[in-house]
Amino acid sequence: MKDIDVLRKDFPILERKINGKPLIYFDNGASTQTPRCVVDEIERIYYTGKANVHRGVHTLSQEATAAMEATREKVRAYIGADSTEEIIFTRGTTESINLVASSYGQLLADGDEIIITTLEHHSNIVPWQLLQQKKNITIKVVPLDANGALDLESYRNMFTDRTRLVSVAQVSNVLGTVNPIAEMATIAHRHGAIVCVDGAQAIAHMKVDVKALGADFYAFSSHKMYGPTGVGVLYGRKELLNAMPPYQGGGEMIGHVSFGSTTWADLPYKFEAGTPDYVGIAALSKALDYLQSIGVENIAAHEHRLLRYATTQMSEIPGLRIFGTAPEKSAVISFLIGNAHHYDTGVLLDQLGIAVRTGHHCAQPLMDYLGVEGTVRASFALYNTEEEVDAFIVALRRVASMLS
Ligand SMILES: *Cc1c(COP(=O)(O)O)cnc(C)c1O
């Protein structure tokens, strides 16, 4: 990987002091920071290139359309999809999964079954529960083993001839568990079910190839991959997307509108009603360039080094419990110190300049399963360093002695 001190200069926020201490940003699972090239692109477009896409003959509109479609092609290549028709821009992972549940969900029949897992984010639970209010479907939940990995034996045994869909996170935002998506997809496909993958925590941390994974749908958010907020992606296999009804109605998504009948636009526009965040989408292109200039494999190796380094030292702190010890794990560490409340730990760390997440992490069913109300979570990104982990460990020891 490139020199980390050089890379850190791409992120001006890392020069900030918080409560008089240098910022240590370990809340990357919630949002990664944004490199200068992405912010510069947003500024450039707002100052010199802002115009709505797809509607205009004028030069600015054509440029805006070209920028958006160039990003679509870049995303396609980045995740190994066959066609740009399979790349739909949304507002984020949440909207992408809601699109699938709401639209593909209409193709399900009463009595059909879907499978999710214990470690899902609320955005991969609640959309399916909303669907349950319209269709009499059953939701089955894959249990976890003691390390926080999915119990694949149970998963295998959950399929019946009514199982239509599996929706699963590639990486848990709480435990860091990396789920064996390809293996799970093979099993699902053998039973005639399709697979929707929540890739929010995977896309910036490992090589993602939707075809190698066997994903029929794959959802992710720009703001977790060094891109702007407000933009997400849904990859869907063309054959499925073609069979699905529109998600929202409005401009951009129509073929022809009359009061008698209306036809839909071709893919991917059928699923992109209204004006998209065309500035954010164009700037996402710069985030993809940035990721590729470093190499996601290099980023993964760096983050795994930090994960091992931090885990080893945290394990030596008396009373500190780590949640999630799956053999395949991404750089996300959930923990509690003794009986200290997660919130108090978070506040004390903040006073020392360290940003972590505390609470239920939008995964309350998982908290119930773990028997806790919440945890503290540190999650790493490409710009984090061993020195930051060292400072974090010193801070944790201080917090442990203050709160015990
Ligand atoms: C962040 C996250 C989401 C939701 O992403 P949004 O950008 O808030 O839509 C869904 N699933 C997982 C695993 C996440 O980490």
Side-chain angles (χ1 to χ4, degrees):
M1 193 153 113
K2 286 188 196 164
D3 184 345
I4 197 105
D5 293 329
V6 176
L7 287 175
R8 285 176 66 88
K9 295 214 164 48
D10 297 328
F11 298 86
I13 198 171
L14 299 177
E15 285 156 30
R16 264 197 75 171
K17 291 221 164 27
I18 302 291
N19 297 317
K21 302 280 189 317
L23 166 65
I24 294 180
Y25 187 76
F26 282 174
D27 193 18
N28 296 287
S31 260
T32 49
Q33 296 301 336
T34 317
R36 210 182 279 277
C37 60
V38 172
V39 181
D40 285 351
E41 179 68 353
I42 294 169
E43 184 184 287
R44 186 190 68 77
I45 296 171
Y46 272 110
Y47 282 148
T48 64
K50 189 174 175 217
N52 208 331
V53 289
H54 299 309
R55 298 202 175 94
V57 291
H58 63 81
T59 302
L60 289 179
S61 176
Q62 285 176 16
E63 283 175 7
T65 305
M68 177 160 151
E69 295 311 315
T71 305
R72 202 187 301 278
E73 165 54 23
K74 224 169 251 180
V75 170
R76 182 207 64 74
Y78 191 73
I79 63 170
D82 280 337
S83 160
T84 49
E85 293 174 295
E86 300 180 308
I87 306 299
I88 297 160
F89 288 117
T90 64
R91 287 189 301 121
T93 308
T94 303
E95 189 178 45
S96 296
I97 299 174
N98 273 279
L99 193 165
V100 177
S102 156
S103 170
Y104 188 82
Q106 289 187 50
L107 307 179
L108 299 185
D110 287 345
D112 281 347
E113 299 169 0
I114 69 166
I115 296 175
I116 61 173
T117 86
T118 306
L119 52 67
E120 299 310 316
H121 188 282
H122 292 163
S123 64
N124 196 23
I125 301 173
V126 184
W128 305 109
Q129 292 175 331
L130 289 173
L131 177 61
Q132 255 183 332
Q133 295 179 355
K134 294 188 212 130
K135 302 259 175 169
N136 187 16
I137 57 161
T138 303
I139 301 175
K140 294 183 175 176
V141 183
V142 184
L144 302 179
D145 70 15
N147 291 320
L150 294 179
D151 176 352
L152 281 192
E153 201 45 43
S154 302
Y155 170 71
R156 253 188 214 97
N157 293 328
M158 275 178 183
F159 286 87
T160 72
D161 56 3
R162 295 307 301 268
T163 311
R164 298 286 303 277
L165 177 141
V166 174
S167 197
V168 56
Q170 187 170 3
V171 175
S172 162
N173 65 311
V174 177
L175 305 173
T177 307
V178 181
N179 293 319
I181 300 297
E183 192 182 345
M184 293 175 77
T186 303
I187 297 167
H189 292 152
R190 205 181 293 140
H191 287 90
I194 60 159
V195 178
C196 174
V197 180
D198 170 350
Q201 294 293 338
I203 192 73
H205 305 280
M206 60 187 63
K207 174 97 189 87
V208 169
D209 181 320
V210 290
K211 292 178 76 187
L213 287 172
D216 298 288
F217 294 106
Y218 193 95
F220 55 95
S221 300
S222 158
H223 70 97
K224 292 186 182 183
M225 55 189 299
Y226 310 101
T229 60
V231 178
V233 172
L234 176 67
Y235 157 80
R237 272 205 298 117
K238 191 172 164 184
E239 177 198 335
L240 295 171
L241 293 175
N242 270 325
M244 286 157 55
Y247 169 54
Q248 293 178 327
E252 306 282 1
M253 55 72 70
I254 49 84
H256 178 80
V257 178
S258 75
F259 288 117
S261 70
T262 292
T263 57
W264 315 136
D266 292 334
L267 292 178
Y269 310 108
K270 179 170 106 177
F271 293 104
E272 294 181 352
T275 298
D277 183 350
Y278 53 82
V279 177
I281 291 167
L284 170 59
S285 169
K286 298 292 177 190
L288 286 165
D289 290 346
Y290 189 79
L291 269 169
Q292 279 171 319
S293 74
I294 301 168
V296 77
E297 284 92 347
N298 294 329
I299 295 170
H302 172 69
E303 291 173 356
H304 275 101
R305 263 195 306 278
L306 293 179
L307 172 68
R308 281 192 299 272
Y309 187 64
T311 303
T312 306
Q313 296 188 71
M314 288 170 78
S315 307
E316 289 161 6
I317 298 175
L320 189 147
R321 280 182 294 164
I322 291 178
F323 299 88
T325 49
E328 292 297 321
K329 186 172 167 172
S330 185
V332 172
I333 310 177
S334 267
F335 64 96
L336 285 173
I337 301 174
N339 295 322
H341 196 274
H342 51 83
Y343 178 81
D344 296 335
T345 306
V347 168
L348 286 173
L349 288 173
D350 181 60
Q351 283 169 7
L352 298 168
I354 301 171
V356 291
R357 193 76 164 178
T358 67
H360 56 63
H361 315 291
C362 300
Q364 280 177 338
L366 176 58
M367 295 298 120
D368 291 344
Y369 171 85
L370 296 172
V372 298
E373 188 203 309
T375 68
V376 187
R377 180 188 71 186
S379 48
F380 304 138
L382 66 88
Y383 38 67
N384 291 128
T385 64
E386 293 195 354
E387 291 73 32
E388 287 181 321
V389 172
D390 289 338
F392 177 57
I393 298 296
V394 170
L396 285 180
R397 288 188 179 277
R398 256 179 86 176
V399 172
S401 64
M402 285 169 78
L403 293 177
S404 63

